[in-house]
Amino acid sequence: MPRHPDPDAPFATSWWGNAWIGALEGTSLDAGRLARGRAYAREGHVDTITVAPGRIVAYVHGSRPRPYRAEIRMRTLTPEDWDNFLDAVATEPAHIAALLDKDMPHALVDAAERAGVQLLPGAGDLVPACTCPDHGRPCKHAAALTYQTARLLDADPFVLLLLRGGDEQALLDELAQRNAHRAAREQSATTDGASTATLPGTLARDVLSTTYRPPLPPPLAPPAHPGEPPLLPSVPGAPDPTSLEFLATDTASRAHAYLTTGADPFPTADPWYDAVRLAASHPGLTGRRSFSRQFAELARSVGHTPADLARAAAAWRQGGEEGLAVLESPWDPPAGPFDRARGALITADLPRMTIHHNHLTNASGSLQLRYGRDGRWYPYRSEPGQDDWWPEGEADADPVGAVTGMIGT
């Protein structure tokens, strides 16, 4: 969510939003963590919030590059609770009007409590969880999520009802039915069995029935960037949410590429190629030897180590399938641009390089250029003398450009 527009303004302006914050602050035993959570929330460290029955989830950015997954849980209402709540609301038309106007007056909450239903959380009702190593309850990331949620509650009290397990449209439909039944009973009691005249009219199905169907509007232009999937909650027995989010992100990216370029979204059926392509855009890849659990599982699924997959993903980022071929398949290029490359490097006062297949390597064994069948030079780097080559930098049609882009001169 964006940075708070006014650093001095309270997080909640509605009384129910403040009650939500009160439940958080009544649970915490550490004022310092709450203060850091407020600062994180005001500075916009909380990503998009996903609300589901019984839980709210969001990624929260901390001091490390990878964000943490924060979650707040709250007990949902039972079917009997919802039945009592709907009866309490339906008896007072003003309550229905308030909900439709995104308002939650004290009278509505009081009526629910008289029916034995507690809508707002009390101290201890909010259960925080986070993937960070801090075991505070709540940690600063979960506190930031809770403070930001108060802004959602301010704008729409149905967020609270969804947390309690109630869908907005289903609740409004049920309220409409109960209100209609109540009005019918009152009308029946008023007429006391007297017959009423039937007004003339036409059935709606007769008015709307037609064989004419207007043409569909032209499709909308594709967006500038692929969309992002919602943050999925962790549910016992369900698939891992981070894996699902990863696959959904890849699907959106393929669909966007197909809509904007017409490129085949499934260019190869080879599992290794597909795994490398996925890994090349994996958000958990942070370095040569730092991998997320999902990344390691992806490597094992195609019979490779995480390091193998990370190296191949770096090559894919350099040049797609051709970049991977340069990594995996040495070849002997014909005379021509490849032979002239060493002279161009010497003229540019760059290190003298030896030839082996399509590789040019400097004397210390730390820099290497690989010539691709697409006519481009792919830069590689290794620790001196270790023969552990990793793609580094961008491929270039000019060997001098490829080297200088890698060494920064």
Side-chain angles (χ1 to χ4, degrees):
M1 294 184 69
R3 181 190 297 268
H4 201 284
D6 183 354
D8 297 322
F11 277 95
T13 57
S14 65
W15 74 270
W16 59 88
N18 281 305
W20 171 270
I21 291 178
L24 163 72
E25 296 177 344
T27 300
S28 176
L29 300 178
D30 189 334
R33 285 190 176 93
L34 290 180
R36 291 192 292 273
R38 284 193 295 270
Y40 272 20
R42 290 192 186 281
E43 293 167 5
H45 287 215
V46 182
D47 281 348
T48 302
I49 297 176
T50 299
V51 182
R55 67 188 69 208
I56 51 174
V57 188
Y59 282 119
V60 180
H61 295 268
S63 56
R64 298 182 182 180
R66 190 180 302 169
Y68 297 109
R69 180 188 180 91
E71 182 174 357
I72 303 294
R73 299 178 184 174
M74 188 171 68
R75 182 184 66 84
T76 57
L77 300 180
T78 66
E80 182 181 358
D81 289 335
W82 282 116
D83 192 55
N84 292 337
F85 171 73
L86 291 169
D87 278 344
V89 175
T91 56
E92 181 55 62
H95 295 341
I96 302 176
L99 285 177
L100 291 174
D101 200 33
K102 304 300 183 183
D103 188 16
M104 185 180 290
H106 280 283
L108 188 153
V109 175
D110 292 343
E113 290 183 352
R114 287 194 297 270
V117 180
Q118 182 180 354
L119 291 179
L120 292 167
D125 288 347
L126 301 180
V127 182
C130 185
T131 57
C132 75
D134 184 359
H135 297 294
R137 292 180 64 85
C139 67
K140 58 188 175 184
H141 311 100
L145 170 59
T146 311
Y147 280 116
Q148 283 291 58
T149 302
R151 297 173 62 187
L152 298 182
L153 294 173
D154 263 1
D156 187 356
F158 273 102
V159 171
L160 176 62
L161 298 181
L162 176 58
L163 277 169
R164 286 300 195 186
D167 174 74
E168 177 177 355
Q169 192 57 54
L171 290 176
L172 292 177
D173 290 345
E174 181 62 25
L175 281 173
Q177 290 185 17
R178 296 191 182 210
N179 191 47
H181 292 162
R182 177 174 170 273
R185 288 195 302 269
E186 292 177 352
Q187 179 67 23
S188 176
T190 301
T191 57
D192 195 21
S195 61
T196 57
T198 302
L199 297 175
T202 304
L203 294 175
R205 64 171 176 266
D206 295 334
V207 174
L208 299 177
S209 64
T210 176
T211 57
Y212 171 73
R213 294 293 183 268
L216 294 175
L220 297 174
H225 304 285
E228 296 184 0
L231 189 60
L232 303 173
S234 178
V235 179
D240 178 47
T242 53
S243 298
L244 291 177
E245 292 162 11
F246 176 42
L247 293 175
T249 300
D250 177 63
T251 301
S253 178
R254 292 196 197 199
H256 185 267
Y258 179 70
L259 287 174
T260 54
T261 67
D264 184 359
F266 301 98
T268 177
D270 186 291
W272 168 240
Y273 272 38
D274 200 45
V276 173
R277 182 191 60 77
L278 285 169
S281 60
H282 195 289
L285 180 60
T286 58
R288 294 183 181 180
R289 295 175 179 85
S290 178
F291 314 108
S292 69
R293 177 173 57 84
Q294 288 75 24
F295 189 87
E297 290 175 353
L298 179 63
R300 286 194 293 270
S301 72
V302 288
H304 287 263
T305 66
D308 291 339
L309 185 57
R311 195 191 314 265
W316 190 279
R317 285 192 291 270
Q318 279 188 325
E321 290 191 35
E322 179 60 29
L324 184 60
V326 167
L327 170 71
E328 297 181 335
S329 305
W331 62 292
D332 294 315
F338 182 78
D339 293 330
R340 291 192 293 271
R342 285 203 304 170
L345 293 172
I346 294 172
T347 301
D349 199 25
L350 290 170
R352 184 181 296 274
M353 293 191 168
T354 59
I355 297 176
H356 181 67
H357 294 302
N358 60 322
H359 301 175
L360 296 179
T361 308
N362 72 342
S364 67
S366 60
L367 301 178
Q368 187 177 90
L369 292 181
R370 299 188 181 187
Y371 188 59
R373 296 180 187 273
D374 61 353
R376 293 193 296 166
W377 294 91
Y378 291 78
Y380 278 68
R381 187 186 292 275
S382 172
E383 293 297 324
Q386 292 192 9
D387 196 31
D388 183 28
W389 296 103
W390 281 78
E392 183 163 324
E394 297 182 358
D396 198 313
D398 176 20
V400 174
V403 172
T404 55
M406 179 167 47
I407 65 178
T409 60

